[in-house]
Amino acid sequence: MNPFWSMSTSSVRKRPDTEEKTLSGELRTSPLRASTKKQLPSIPKNAVPITKPASPAAASQSTNGTHASYGPFYLEYSLLAEFTLVVKQKLPGVYVQPSYRSALMWFGVIFIRHGLYQDGVFKFTVYIPDNYPDGDCPRLVFDLPVFHPLVDPLSGELDVKRAFAKWRRNHNHIWQVLMYARRVFYKIDTTSPLNPEAAVLYEKDVQLFKSKVVDSVKLCSSHLFDQPKIEDPYAIVFSPWNPAIHDEAREKMLTQKKKPEDQHCKSMHVSGLSWVKPGSVQPFSKEEKTMPT
Amino acid sequence: MSSGTSISKNRQAPSLQGVDPETCMIVFRTHWAQVLKILEKHDPLKNTQAKYGAISPDEASTVQNYVEHMLFLLIEEQAKDASMGPILEFVVSENIMEKLFLWSLRREFTDETKIEQLKMYEMLVTQSHQPLLHHKPILKPLMMLLSSCSGTATSTVETELVVLLNQLCSIIAKDPSILELFFHTSEDQGAANFLIFSLLIPFIHREGTVGQQARDALLFIMSLSAENNVVANHIAENTYFCPVLATGLSGLYSSLPTKLEEKGEEWHCLLKDDWLLSPALVQFMNSLEFCNAVIQVAHPLIRNQLVNYIYNGFLVPVMAPALHKATVEEVMTTTAYLDLFLRSVSEPALLKIFLHFILLHRHENVHILDTLTSRINTPFRLCVVSLALFRTLIGLHCEDVMLQLVLRYLIPCNHMMLSQRWAVKERDCYSASAAKLLALTPVCCSTGITLTLESQGKDYILWTKAAQTKDSGRRSSESTCIVEYGKAVDISYLQYLGEAQEAILQCLKDCKVWSALYDGVNPDPDTFIQTLAEENSTDVEHPMFRLQQRTPSMCSSSQVTPFGEKMQLELEWDDSYDTGISPGSDVSLPQPYDDLGNTEMQPPAQPPKHIQEMKKSAIMLIKGSYIEESDFQDDVMVYRLCAQKDTQDDDNTKEKTSNAAREHEVQSQTVVNGPLAKSQLEMDLDEHSKRNSSSTQGVMKEQINQKMTEIDPQPDLELKLSPQEADRNLSVRLLSTDGEDFIAQYDKIIKELDPNSASLEEQKLDTLIPVSPAEEEEDFENFSADTPSAESMPSPFGLKEDISPKHAARSQSAPFTGPFISVVLSKLENMLENSLHVNLLLIGIITQLASYPQPLLRSFLLNTNMVFQPSVRSLYQVLASVKNKIEHFASVEKDFPGLLLEAQQYLLFRVDMSDDAEELLTKGNVQHSSNTGKGRNLSEAYPAVLQPFLGQKGKKGLAHPGLPVHVRNAVLAAALFPEFLKELAALAQEHSILCYKILGDFEDYY
């Protein structure tokens, strides 16, 4: 395993790192959501009470208005729900982060840990249609066109459609797209390719294919520290190892395993009330720990 | 002039800095020689004439002056290393302190001398540079002094005494090694061990500074006891500390006002501002707070003892009867007190017994919880106060409370279709539930005030750095919301989302310690029913409280044996009690037992108070309370009653009826191979009891009787119910309920008997209006299905399978979401009739419930796609019904839009006041610093927009003073309803995106 990559795993950082330094560890925050909520004033300053006209026509119109005004909330929460599902999946080597500007655009990076594409670090962007979840399937575009039968050599777009011919709400989720994106690098499919050259080489001349892949991986690595393709505060940015920044974050990640237990003990005292014995359904069934004898 | 004060004056003046210690010593010795001369002159052992010679004032003051200087020298002496300074050594070897004490005894031992001595010691122990209390010659006279002060002291002596004791305790707390010495000295005395402690006990409940100092001093000892088993054992076994403390509560409680002064329409709970005005309440709260503090710091031995005494010496003998007093006013006051106490107690161990009392204690065979629940349905202020109490209970985020109140009814999962069980844990990925909830917003309510954003010249709205307010500035980054320019956005909804997230996270955090997930799998629905049946058959009281039976306890009434319960079960209600009660006659009820008294020996002829009260409220119920259909379907009895009434109408003779009844007795005897012969009616009752606690059978019977008297004017109708074998195994407590659904049935009967009644009209209203928008998937058929289906309507005196075990098994697990849910939902359904503050409390309670992350609760309340059993009423259905009522009301009321606008303005006005109210509410909590994070601050529980009860301040802008009350209530409800929907939708959305997997470390996230 290349030590450089294992290091860079922890060196992934966001530019506005005022909060959530732990992107690379575990994507457990949905920054968009967290901040959306927390930014709210208790009583909005720029709000104006609007008295709507009470005529019947206006009333029906405003009904539509009412519904329309909640639409964005539904969309945003649907996407956040998708995001929490992604987090839950814990896909190995795959990290995503919704953009600052829009919940419909997610930045991601994928680390390939073995196989033909070993050591590959591919940044990508997921574009979600704005009529989600009723629209088409999301698009996934690599920042640099990876040499792969299913990746368009010009645009870098991955052929997602082949796996999700029809996007079905409740059945299809964005984490599946990400899982698919990871899998294509381990199990190579050459049928109806977007990059026919890669497909043919894989079929006919694996050695050449492999060397092209190595080149492609190297190319991607050499551009790793480039500025992100899309200007966004939440874009994923790589930087060389900087002990001042990264040592602390690394330390934190490595010590994190112990933490939950400590916290658990602490929180036992602070809050939460239960005297129910586990397995029992009777109140006050728990025995006192310090029963005097 | 006492020497103590003069010393303290003099002391300040000269400084001994730099004075040679030897010189000091010489001065001290010469002073003592002078003093000793006088002392010996009057010592009867040394001077035989001493007895007769009076001590001249001159001599006394000489001694005083010398002693002052000596003490000063002693105090100022600096000790080298660990050894004593020469003066101290001299004091010890000469036993000077004891001699001085004897001298003061020899003089007249007046209060003044005592004070003098007390002050002297206080000064010595607090100001001396070297530890003095280690030396027996100093300690012993001190103890003699203290014991001489015990008992008959006047208030001035007491004040000094407590000050000194307080100082001693604080010294002991700092240096526990002294503690041993205190024990040993008192052994010499032969008096009770640990004198300082015993001396403090009488001051526990004292008001003012004396009491406060005494309690502080005791707390020093308490925290000491946590480390020291000897002290803990001594206090627990040899002192009356715990009993005094606990019974003191009872005493103080009895002096609390039984009625609270009228505090205005919106008053619903006691805030600190309220109770500070009542000295008696302040005193009680001080003592309660002290108990709380003791439990917090003391040794487990003391803690457990105290907790048990409070349970058996205060809660059971005092609070329980007080909650069942004769007048609604008194009951309401007690409820408000209980609520206040719950909010004030922070120590889990103390809170535990309060909750144990509320959840499990039975007063006259009815759980306190059930009684409290039934009071929600009363038309009095009592309802509001009870709701406030429940809000407090639910806000505790305590598993036991929620289990008893709601979850136990949901665990079996039979409130939903079997095919739906998988969906309990399901997340609402696309906010479908939120959309459905918001779609319930009545069309007529979307006019009027909506908070929208001013148009901005951007493509999207940036919510930038807007929140400097509440969040401590930890999240300072900017963020966006994908709202496009030009679209009206309901920003109040964003606020609801934020508050929903906060509420859920807080609840989630608190629920981490819960024993189970309550997700439809754990606890397992099937084993739950089994274990419950088993546990129920043994019917164990909590071991902690059984243990109490061995130790002498304050009260005898707490231990009601199972046998005793059974005996009471078999009591019959006399018809004669049914006649005298009318809506206003609560005062006339005799009270057969006193507050502290013995509740066991209740005369059999007297129906318990809560029954009377239920009956009263049943009579007074103005509008129909809602019941779950299951009650109705299963409740064959109700129909039988109607049927019986019909037969009675037919031949209308007493003989025939009783004949019929007898016939059934015979019939059932032959058919049923049960242990006892039962009348037909009883079988019905029995059947009912499978779902209900046995005690409610009493209610039922009573209602039957009542019913009978109403149906048949013949006063001597003999439909005697033979004593009934209460089948404990069958009356699964899980499904225990209380009277209110019977009341509802009662109401239904009235409806059916009297087609012109108001409630029927209401019912018609419901059916007239199309119930739901076309998009709804729910089957609204069952909505107004008041008419029972054919199978559930048995022919009079009929079908045998109704009483077969098979049927019994079915009805045992009949869908029922519990009395609390059903009463709250029924109250909610009457939203338009409720006053604003009732609605605000209801909304508060429901949103609190909806904030719980447990999938069972969440799916029941918020998942609008869930398919429930037809008999189960969901929150969504109730909301849909309210929507229809509002739309109907809007179509009838002439100036609805105008009124709505005014109502909205009024509500917004209240929001402006809410900051003050928040303060008020939080102040009401006597929280201890270690426990503040509990989320029990009332203000946290629900959003500012719905912050109810701004108390006195919110009054001036009262909406529509000129309107009739019912119109005003309806308009305010209509204005409130859309906000409530938003709140629920926000909760549904926030639940959908919570990542439960990462529960472990969500602190980082919060």
Side-chain angles (χ1 to χ4, degrees), chain A residues 19 33 38-40 42 47 50 69-70 74 77 84 100 170 271-275 281-282 284, chain B residues 399-400 430 438 452 466-467 475 477-478 480 488 490-491 494-495 501 510 535 542 990 993 1005:
Chain A
E19 53 171 358
R33 181 174 78 97
K38 302 302 174 190
Q39 297 306 312
L40 291 175
S42 59
I50 290 180
S69 71
Y70 294 108
Y74 303 149
Y77 273 73
T84 55
Y100 176 84
N170 279 318
S271 68
L273 292 170
S274 168
W275 295 279
V281 280
Q282 288 295 304
F284 308 106
Chain B
E399 181 175 10
D400 307 63
Y430 308 115
L438 285 171
T452 47
R475 292 157 290 264
S477 73
E478 304 176 343
T480 59
D490 190 344
I491 46 167
L494 281 173
Q495 221 172 310
Q501 190 203 30
D510 290 350
E535 280 175 20
H542 193 269
E990 285 294 338
I993 58 164
Y1005 171 4

Short mmCIF file of all heavy atoms in Angstrom, two decimals, chain A residues 19 33 38-40 42 47 50 69-70 74 77 84 100 170 271-275 281-282 284, chain B residues 399-400 430 438 452 466-467 475 477-478 480 488 490-491 494-495 501 510 535 542 990 993 1005:
data_model
loop_
_atom_site.label_atom_id
_atom_site.label_comp_id
_atom_site.label_asym_id
_atom_site.label_seq_id
_atom_site.Cartn_x
_atom_site.Cartn_y
_atom_site.Cartn_z
N GLU A 19 -15.83 24.19 10.55
CA GLU A 19 -16.50 23.10 11.25
C GLU A 19 -16.26 21.80 10.51
O GLU A 19 -15.80 21.79 9.38
CB GLU A 19 -18.00 23.39 11.34
CG GLU A 19 -18.60 23.70 10.00
CD GLU A 19 -20.10 23.77 10.05
OE1 GLU A 19 -20.68 23.54 11.13
OE2 GLU A 19 -20.70 24.03 9.01
N ARG A 33 -27.72 20.78 6.10
CA ARG A 33 -28.85 20.74 7.01
C ARG A 33 -28.50 21.42 8.32
O ARG A 33 -29.19 22.30 8.78
CB ARG A 33 -29.22 19.29 7.30
CG ARG A 33 -30.38 19.16 8.19
CD ARG A 33 -30.76 17.73 8.29
NE ARG A 33 -29.85 17.06 9.19
CZ ARG A 33 -30.12 16.85 10.45
NH1 ARG A 33 -31.24 17.27 10.94
NH2 ARG A 33 -29.29 16.25 11.23
N LYS A 38 -29.33 26.00 11.92
CA LYS A 38 -28.74 26.78 12.99
C LYS A 38 -28.66 28.25 12.64
O LYS A 38 -28.42 29.07 13.49
CB LYS A 38 -27.34 26.26 13.29
CG LYS A 38 -27.32 24.82 13.66
CD LYS A 38 -28.19 24.58 14.88
CE LYS A 38 -28.27 23.10 15.13
NZ LYS A 38 -29.25 22.76 16.12
N GLN A 39 -28.80 28.53 11.38
CA GLN A 39 -28.66 29.91 10.98
C GLN A 39 -29.92 30.72 11.24
O GLN A 39 -29.94 31.90 11.04
CB GLN A 39 -28.32 29.99 9.50
CG GLN A 39 -27.00 29.35 9.15
CD GLN A 39 -25.88 29.91 9.98
OE1 GLN A 39 -25.74 31.11 10.12
NE2 GLN A 39 -25.10 29.04 10.59
N LEU A 40 -30.95 30.04 11.61
CA LEU A 40 -32.22 30.75 11.66
C LEU A 40 -32.29 31.68 12.85
O LEU A 40 -31.95 31.32 13.95
CB LEU A 40 -33.35 29.75 11.75
CG LEU A 40 -33.52 28.97 10.49
CD1 LEU A 40 -34.56 27.91 10.68
CD2 LEU A 40 -33.89 29.89 9.37
N SER A 42 -34.40 33.59 15.64
CA SER A 42 -35.59 33.15 16.34
C SER A 42 -36.82 33.87 15.79
O SER A 42 -37.87 33.31 15.62
CB SER A 42 -35.45 33.37 17.83
OG SER A 42 -35.22 34.73 18.05
N ALA A 47 -38.27 39.33 7.62
CA ALA A 47 -39.58 38.80 7.29
C ALA A 47 -40.61 39.91 7.34
O ALA A 47 -40.53 40.80 8.17
CB ALA A 47 -39.96 37.72 8.27
N ILE A 50 -47.33 39.23 5.45
CA ILE A 50 -48.08 39.59 4.26
C ILE A 50 -49.53 39.24 4.48
O ILE A 50 -49.85 38.11 4.85
CB ILE A 50 -47.56 38.85 3.02
CG1 ILE A 50 -46.19 39.38 2.64
CG2 ILE A 50 -48.52 38.99 1.85
CD1 ILE A 50 -45.60 38.70 1.44
N SER A 69 -44.60 26.39 -1.76
CA SER A 69 -43.57 26.92 -0.89
C SER A 69 -42.94 25.83 -0.03
O SER A 69 -41.87 26.02 0.50
CB SER A 69 -44.13 28.03 -0.02
OG SER A 69 -44.99 27.50 0.94
N TYR A 70 -43.61 24.73 0.11
CA TYR A 70 -43.00 23.66 0.88
C TYR A 70 -42.21 22.70 -0.01
O TYR A 70 -41.44 21.90 0.47
CB TYR A 70 -44.05 22.89 1.67
CG TYR A 70 -44.68 23.73 2.75
CD1 TYR A 70 -45.99 24.18 2.64
CD2 TYR A 70 -43.94 24.10 3.87
CE1 TYR A 70 -46.55 24.97 3.62
CE2 TYR A 70 -44.50 24.89 4.85
CZ TYR A 70 -45.80 25.34 4.73
OH TYR A 70 -46.35 26.12 5.70
N TYR A 74 -39.34 19.72 0.87
CA TYR A 74 -39.45 18.27 0.64
C TYR A 74 -38.23 17.78 -0.12
O TYR A 74 -37.63 16.76 0.19
CB TYR A 74 -40.72 17.93 -0.13
CG TYR A 74 -41.99 18.41 0.54
CD1 TYR A 74 -43.11 18.77 -0.20
CD2 TYR A 74 -42.07 18.49 1.93
CE1 TYR A 74 -44.26 19.21 0.41
CE2 TYR A 74 -43.22 18.92 2.55
CZ TYR A 74 -44.32 19.29 1.78
OH TYR A 74 -45.45 19.72 2.39
N TYR A 77 -35.10 17.83 2.04
CA TYR A 77 -35.08 16.77 3.04
C TYR A 77 -34.97 15.39 2.40
O TYR A 77 -34.39 14.49 3.00
CB TYR A 77 -36.30 16.90 3.96
CG TYR A 77 -36.01 17.83 5.10
CD1 TYR A 77 -35.93 19.20 4.88
CD2 TYR A 77 -35.75 17.35 6.38
CE1 TYR A 77 -35.62 20.07 5.90
CE2 TYR A 77 -35.43 18.22 7.40
CZ TYR A 77 -35.37 19.57 7.17
OH TYR A 77 -35.05 20.42 8.18
N THR A 84 -28.07 10.79 4.50
CA THR A 84 -27.89 9.99 5.71
C THR A 84 -27.83 8.50 5.37
O THR A 84 -27.14 7.74 6.04
CB THR A 84 -29.02 10.23 6.72
OG1 THR A 84 -30.27 9.99 6.09
CG2 THR A 84 -28.99 11.61 7.27
N TYR A 100 -22.05 23.46 -1.27
CA TYR A 100 -22.54 24.60 -0.51
C TYR A 100 -23.71 25.25 -1.22
O TYR A 100 -24.67 25.67 -0.61
CB TYR A 100 -21.39 25.59 -0.36
CG TYR A 100 -21.72 26.88 0.31
CD1 TYR A 100 -21.73 26.97 1.70
CD2 TYR A 100 -21.99 28.02 -0.43
CE1 TYR A 100 -22.01 28.17 2.32
CE2 TYR A 100 -22.27 29.23 0.19
CZ TYR A 100 -22.28 29.29 1.57
OH TYR A 100 -22.56 30.47 2.19
N ASN A 170 -38.12 5.17 -3.79
CA ASN A 170 -38.25 4.16 -2.73
C ASN A 170 -37.40 2.92 -2.97
O ASN A 170 -37.07 2.21 -2.04
CB ASN A 170 -39.70 3.70 -2.54
CG ASN A 170 -40.46 4.69 -1.70
OD1 ASN A 170 -39.93 5.19 -0.71
ND2 ASN A 170 -41.67 5.01 -2.10
N SER A 271 -27.95 12.87 31.79
CA SER A 271 -29.34 12.94 31.38
C SER A 271 -29.87 11.57 31.03
O SER A 271 -29.13 10.60 30.92
CB SER A 271 -29.48 13.86 30.17
OG SER A 271 -28.86 13.25 29.07
N GLY A 272 -31.16 11.54 30.85
CA GLY A 272 -31.77 10.29 30.48
C GLY A 272 -32.23 9.55 31.71
O GLY A 272 -31.50 9.42 32.69
N LEU A 273 -33.45 9.08 31.68
CA LEU A 273 -33.98 8.40 32.83
C LEU A 273 -34.58 7.08 32.39
O LEU A 273 -35.38 7.02 31.47
CB LEU A 273 -35.08 9.24 33.48
CG LEU A 273 -34.65 10.53 34.15
CD1 LEU A 273 -35.86 11.35 34.51
CD2 LEU A 273 -33.82 10.23 35.37
N SER A 274 -34.16 6.04 33.03
CA SER A 274 -34.78 4.76 32.77
C SER A 274 -34.51 3.84 33.94
O SER A 274 -33.37 3.70 34.39
CB SER A 274 -34.23 4.15 31.49
OG SER A 274 -34.65 2.81 31.41
N TRP A 275 -35.55 3.25 34.43
CA TRP A 275 -35.41 2.23 35.46
C TRP A 275 -35.98 0.90 34.97
O TRP A 275 -36.41 0.08 35.75
CB TRP A 275 -36.08 2.66 36.76
CG TRP A 275 -35.43 3.85 37.36
CD1 TRP A 275 -34.29 3.86 38.11
CD2 TRP A 275 -35.84 5.22 37.28
NE1 TRP A 275 -33.98 5.14 38.49
CE2 TRP A 275 -34.91 5.99 38.00
CE3 TRP A 275 -36.91 5.87 36.65
CZ2 TRP A 275 -35.01 7.38 38.12
CZ3 TRP A 275 -37.01 7.24 36.77
CH2 TRP A 275 -36.06 7.98 37.50
N VAL A 281 -40.51 -5.34 30.49
CA VAL A 281 -41.36 -4.27 30.02
C VAL A 281 -42.10 -3.65 31.20
O VAL A 281 -43.13 -3.02 31.04
CB VAL A 281 -42.37 -4.77 28.97
CG1 VAL A 281 -41.69 -4.87 27.63
CG2 VAL A 281 -42.95 -6.09 29.37
N GLN A 282 -41.57 -3.89 32.37
CA GLN A 282 -42.18 -3.33 33.57
C GLN A 282 -41.41 -2.09 34.00
O GLN A 282 -40.19 -2.09 34.02
CB GLN A 282 -42.13 -4.36 34.70
CG GLN A 282 -43.08 -5.50 34.52
CD GLN A 282 -44.52 -5.06 34.57
OE1 GLN A 282 -44.96 -4.46 35.54
NE2 GLN A 282 -45.27 -5.34 33.52
N PHE A 284 -39.68 0.44 36.47
CA PHE A 284 -38.95 0.29 37.73
C PHE A 284 -38.55 -1.17 38.00
O PHE A 284 -38.60 -1.64 39.12
CB PHE A 284 -39.76 0.83 38.90
CG PHE A 284 -40.25 2.22 38.66
CD1 PHE A 284 -41.58 2.48 38.38
CD2 PHE A 284 -39.34 3.27 38.69
CE1 PHE A 284 -42.01 3.77 38.13
CE2 PHE A 284 -39.77 4.57 38.44
CZ PHE A 284 -41.10 4.82 38.17
N GLU B 399 -38.08 6.63 30.36
CA GLU B 399 -38.60 5.42 29.72
C GLU B 399 -39.80 4.86 30.47
O GLU B 399 -40.80 4.47 29.86
CB GLU B 399 -37.50 4.37 29.64
CG GLU B 399 -37.96 3.09 28.95
CD GLU B 399 -36.85 2.08 28.76
OE1 GLU B 399 -35.76 2.28 29.32
OE2 GLU B 399 -37.08 1.09 28.05
N ASP B 400 -39.70 4.84 31.78
CA ASP B 400 -40.78 4.24 32.56
C ASP B 400 -42.10 4.98 32.35
O ASP B 400 -43.15 4.36 32.23
CB ASP B 400 -40.41 4.25 34.04
CG ASP B 400 -39.05 3.61 34.28
OD1 ASP B 400 -38.05 4.14 33.77
OD2 ASP B 400 -38.99 2.58 34.94
N TYR B 430 -39.02 10.69 1.38
CA TYR B 430 -39.35 11.80 0.49
C TYR B 430 -40.32 12.78 1.14
O TYR B 430 -41.10 13.45 0.47
CB TYR B 430 -39.91 11.26 -0.82
CG TYR B 430 -39.01 10.24 -1.45
CD1 TYR B 430 -39.40 8.92 -1.60
CD2 TYR B 430 -37.73 10.61 -1.86
CE1 TYR B 430 -38.55 7.99 -2.16
CE2 TYR B 430 -36.88 9.68 -2.43
CZ TYR B 430 -37.28 8.37 -2.57
OH TYR B 430 -36.43 7.46 -3.12
N LEU B 438 -49.17 18.72 5.88
CA LEU B 438 -49.34 20.12 5.49
C LEU B 438 -50.52 20.29 4.55
O LEU B 438 -51.15 21.34 4.51
CB LEU B 438 -48.05 20.62 4.82
CG LEU B 438 -46.91 20.88 5.79
CD1 LEU B 438 -45.61 21.15 5.05
CD2 LEU B 438 -47.23 22.05 6.71
N THR B 452 -43.48 35.79 5.03
CA THR B 452 -42.69 35.48 3.84
C THR B 452 -41.50 36.39 3.78
O THR B 452 -41.42 37.40 4.48
CB THR B 452 -43.50 35.65 2.55
OG1 THR B 452 -44.18 36.89 2.63
CG2 THR B 452 -44.49 34.53 2.37
N ALA B 466 -27.37 34.56 10.29
CA ALA B 466 -28.59 35.13 10.86
C ALA B 466 -28.73 34.79 12.33
O ALA B 466 -29.39 35.47 13.08
CB ALA B 466 -29.80 34.61 10.09
N ALA B 467 -28.07 33.75 12.72
CA ALA B 467 -28.35 33.25 14.07
C ALA B 467 -27.26 33.61 15.07
O ALA B 467 -26.52 32.77 15.53
CB ALA B 467 -28.52 31.74 14.01
N ARG B 475 -21.54 27.41 15.24
CA ARG B 475 -21.66 27.21 13.80
C ARG B 475 -21.73 28.58 13.14
O ARG B 475 -22.76 29.22 13.16
CB ARG B 475 -22.90 26.40 13.50
CG ARG B 475 -22.80 25.00 13.99
CD ARG B 475 -24.15 24.42 14.18
NE ARG B 475 -24.80 25.05 15.31
CZ ARG B 475 -24.79 24.53 16.52
NH1 ARG B 475 -24.22 23.41 16.75
NH2 ARG B 475 -25.39 25.15 17.52
N SER B 477 -20.54 29.21 9.98
CA SER B 477 -20.40 29.22 8.54
C SER B 477 -21.73 29.56 7.87
O SER B 477 -22.79 29.46 8.46
CB SER B 477 -19.93 27.85 8.05
OG SER B 477 -20.99 26.94 8.15
N GLU B 478 -21.58 29.94 6.64
CA GLU B 478 -22.78 30.31 5.91
C GLU B 478 -23.41 29.07 5.31
O GLU B 478 -22.79 28.03 5.16
CB GLU B 478 -22.41 31.27 4.79
CG GLU B 478 -21.68 32.50 5.29
CD GLU B 478 -21.24 33.35 4.14
OE1 GLU B 478 -21.21 32.85 3.01
OE2 GLU B 478 -20.94 34.52 4.37
N THR B 480 -26.91 27.69 2.68
CA THR B 480 -28.00 28.11 1.82
C THR B 480 -29.16 27.17 1.94
O THR B 480 -29.08 26.10 2.49
CB THR B 480 -27.58 28.08 0.34
OG1 THR B 480 -27.19 26.74 0.05
CG2 THR B 480 -26.47 29.03 0.06
N ALA B 488 -42.62 32.38 -2.74
CA ALA B 488 -42.89 32.73 -1.36
C ALA B 488 -42.44 31.57 -0.47
O ALA B 488 -42.73 30.42 -0.76
CB ALA B 488 -44.37 32.97 -1.16
N ASP B 490 -42.28 30.10 3.38
CA ASP B 490 -42.82 30.24 4.72
C ASP B 490 -41.66 30.11 5.70
O ASP B 490 -41.24 29.02 6.04
CB ASP B 490 -43.84 29.12 4.94
CG ASP B 490 -44.61 29.36 6.21
OD1 ASP B 490 -44.15 30.17 7.02
OD2 ASP B 490 -45.65 28.72 6.37
N ILE B 491 -41.14 31.23 6.10
CA ILE B 491 -39.94 31.13 6.92
C ILE B 491 -40.25 30.63 8.32
O ILE B 491 -39.39 30.10 8.99
CB ILE B 491 -39.17 32.44 7.04
CG1 ILE B 491 -40.12 33.58 7.32
CG2 ILE B 491 -38.34 32.69 5.82
CD1 ILE B 491 -39.40 34.80 7.74
N LEU B 494 -39.17 27.20 8.52
CA LEU B 494 -37.75 26.95 8.79
C LEU B 494 -37.49 26.93 10.29
O LEU B 494 -36.71 26.14 10.79
CB LEU B 494 -36.90 28.03 8.14
CG LEU B 494 -36.65 27.90 6.65
CD1 LEU B 494 -35.96 29.14 6.13
CD2 LEU B 494 -35.80 26.68 6.38
N GLN B 495 -38.17 27.84 10.93
CA GLN B 495 -38.02 27.89 12.38
C GLN B 495 -38.53 26.62 13.04
O GLN B 495 -37.90 26.08 13.95
CB GLN B 495 -38.85 29.06 12.87
CG GLN B 495 -38.19 29.86 13.93
CD GLN B 495 -39.00 31.10 14.20
OE1 GLN B 495 -39.36 31.82 13.27
NE2 GLN B 495 -39.30 31.33 15.45
N GLN B 501 -35.62 19.85 15.12
CA GLN B 501 -34.33 19.17 15.20
C GLN B 501 -33.78 19.21 16.62
O GLN B 501 -33.32 18.21 17.15
CB GLN B 501 -33.34 19.82 14.24
CG GLN B 501 -32.08 19.00 14.10
CD GLN B 501 -30.90 19.82 13.63
OE1 GLN B 501 -30.81 21.00 13.90
NE2 GLN B 501 -30.01 19.19 12.92
N ASP B 510 -31.36 11.96 25.51
CA ASP B 510 -31.88 11.48 26.79
C ASP B 510 -32.28 10.01 26.71
O ASP B 510 -32.22 9.29 27.70
CB ASP B 510 -33.10 12.32 27.22
CG ASP B 510 -32.69 13.72 27.62
OD1 ASP B 510 -31.48 13.95 27.75
OD2 ASP B 510 -33.57 14.56 27.81
N GLU B 535 -46.06 -11.73 34.56
CA GLU B 535 -45.72 -10.77 35.59
C GLU B 535 -46.96 -10.29 36.30
O GLU B 535 -46.96 -10.01 37.49
CB GLU B 535 -45.00 -9.58 34.96
CG GLU B 535 -43.54 -9.88 34.70
CD GLU B 535 -42.86 -8.73 33.98
OE1 GLU B 535 -43.37 -7.61 34.03
OE2 GLU B 535 -41.82 -8.99 33.36
N HIS B 542 -42.82 -3.29 43.74
CA HIS B 542 -41.39 -3.14 43.63
C HIS B 542 -40.71 -3.57 44.93
O HIS B 542 -41.17 -3.23 46.00
CB HIS B 542 -41.04 -1.69 43.33
CG HIS B 542 -39.63 -1.53 42.92
ND1 HIS B 542 -38.64 -1.29 43.81
CD2 HIS B 542 -39.05 -1.61 41.70
CE1 HIS B 542 -37.49 -1.21 43.17
NE2 HIS B 542 -37.71 -1.39 41.89
N GLU B 990 -37.70 16.09 10.13
CA GLU B 990 -36.45 15.95 10.87
C GLU B 990 -36.20 14.49 11.26
O GLU B 990 -35.07 14.03 11.25
CB GLU B 990 -36.47 16.84 12.11
CG GLU B 990 -36.28 18.31 11.82
CD GLU B 990 -34.89 18.62 11.27
OE1 GLU B 990 -33.97 17.83 11.50
OE2 GLU B 990 -34.75 19.66 10.60
N ILE B 993 -34.50 12.43 8.50
CA ILE B 993 -33.10 12.57 8.12
C ILE B 993 -32.15 12.32 9.28
O ILE B 993 -30.95 12.50 9.16
CB ILE B 993 -32.81 13.97 7.54
CG1 ILE B 993 -33.17 15.04 8.56
CG2 ILE B 993 -33.57 14.18 6.25
CD1 ILE B 993 -32.56 16.36 8.20
N TYR B 1005 -22.00 16.44 16.65
CA TYR B 1005 -22.83 16.80 15.55
C TYR B 1005 -23.81 17.85 16.03
O TYR B 1005 -24.16 18.78 15.34
CB TYR B 1005 -23.48 15.49 15.20
CG TYR B 1005 -24.58 15.36 14.24
CD1 TYR B 1005 -25.08 16.39 13.49
CD2 TYR B 1005 -25.12 14.08 14.08
CE1 TYR B 1005 -26.10 16.15 12.60
CE2 TYR B 1005 -26.12 13.87 13.20
CZ TYR B 1005 -26.62 14.90 12.48
OH TYR B 1005 -27.64 14.66 11.62
#
